[in-house]
Amino acid sequence: MNNYQSENLEVNLYKLNTYPIILIFLNIIFHFVPFERKSLAPDDYSLLTYNRNSENYFLDFFERPIQLYYFDLQYWLIGDSAFFGFLILILTSSILIVTVYYLFLLLINENKLSFVFSIFYLVFYSKLAIYNNLINAHIILVSSFYIMSLIFFIKYSDDKKVFLLLISLFLYFISIFFYEIGIFLPLILTFFYKKVPLKTLSIYFI
């Protein structure tokens, strides 16, 4: 590798590390400043404190068992604290915007353009209501899991490394038992990602 290539690599690595940090900062500025929550909203509080009394959510609530385990963990960690709920919203939304950025980067392979598209996604008007209610934190988080699953699947389709497919499948199955908003993701991949054999995609439906 010559000096020119080495310098370019260092610049690219710098950009890859810098853009997500900038996006996290913009996420906080756009959605969480100067908003302040003195207490949880009634829906937030009732969802967190609801007595679910189950030894195995997979048996009793098969459609979304991981979501209920998440609620229990969240309540155990923060109780009914509005401040810590506020921090969870910042954390989950920051994870989401970073995964969105890397998805764009993977698809178009251009740092600046991926950054711009991520900003458009970040400032979309619907985020204001979603990002300021703790009841939506699990939806924000599971959206990140679906995007991560897609990222690893695309990388598998390029590199044909089985461990990338396994990670993608793991994230996908975690996600559908968390919140089923992306359950048709394999179908979308089947129709729109022709470079992957249909036989491989069928694994998602097992």
Side-chain angles (χ1 to χ4, degrees):
M1 180 181 293
N2 58 40
N3 290 336
Y4 177 76
Q5 290 175 319
S6 177
E7 289 175 2
N8 279 344
L9 178 59
E10 290 178 3
V11 170
N12 287 335
L13 290 174
Y14 173 77
K15 288 181 178 179
L16 284 173
N17 290 325
T18 301
Y19 285 141
I21 294 172
I22 296 173
L23 287 168
I24 291 172
F25 175 76
L26 293 176
N27 177 54
I28 295 172
I29 295 298
F30 288 155
H31 298 295
F32 299 103
V33 177
F35 300 111
E36 183 180 0
R37 296 285 293 277
K38 299 295 185 183
S39 63
L40 295 176
D43 287 345
D44 296 338
Y45 182 81
S46 63
L47 190 63
L48 283 173
T49 59
Y50 178 69
N51 187 3
R52 289 175 276 274
N53 286 331
S54 175
E55 295 182 358
N56 191 327
Y57 290 141
F58 279 94
L59 295 178
D60 298 333
F61 303 94
F62 184 74
E63 66 276 13
R64 294 178 185 175
I66 295 178
Q67 180 190 99
L68 300 180
Y69 283 117
Y70 167 83
F71 288 146
D72 287 349
L73 175 62
Q74 182 173 281
Y75 186 67
W76 179 76
L77 288 173
I78 72 170
D80 57 0
S81 169
F83 173 74
F84 286 109
F86 182 73
L87 294 183
I88 285 180
L89 284 167
I90 292 177
L91 176 62
T92 54
S93 61
S94 296
I95 292 172
L96 178 59
I97 190 57
V98 171
T99 55
V100 166
Y101 165 74
Y102 279 112
L103 177 60
F104 281 133
L105 186 60
L106 187 61
L107 293 175
I108 62 180
N109 196 31
E110 212 292 314
N111 278 304
K112 290 183 180 179
L113 198 55
S114 300
F115 178 68
V116 171
F117 284 160
S118 299
I119 290 178
F120 282 130
Y121 176 84
L122 179 66
V123 300
F124 196 69
Y125 70 93
S126 65
K127 300 291 190 306
L128 184 60
I130 296 173
Y131 284 7
N132 282 276
N133 289 282
L134 185 59
I135 195 173
N136 294 319
H138 68 287
I139 300 175
I140 301 170
L141 183 61
V142 78
S143 298
S144 301
F145 289 163
Y146 278 116
I147 295 172
M148 291 178 196
S149 175
L150 180 58
I151 288 172
F152 279 103
F153 187 82
I154 294 173
K155 288 188 71 63
Y156 161 73
S157 70
D158 291 333
D159 300 338
K160 297 299 184 294
K161 295 180 179 178
V162 176
F163 80 92
L164 295 173
L165 176 62
L166 293 177
I167 295 173
S168 175
L169 290 171
F170 174 76
L171 288 168
Y172 174 72
F173 283 116
I174 288 291
S175 300
I176 59 174
F177 286 110
F178 201 136
Y179 198 80
E180 66 280 3
I181 53 174
I183 195 170
F184 293 109
L185 179 60
L187 188 61
I188 295 172
L189 290 174
T190 301
F191 283 108
F192 295 103
Y193 214 77
K194 301 294 187 180
K195 63 190 295 187
V196 182
L198 189 59
K199 183 178 180 181
T200 302
L201 285 165
S202 66
I203 296 174
Y204 274 97
F205 296 96
I206 297 175

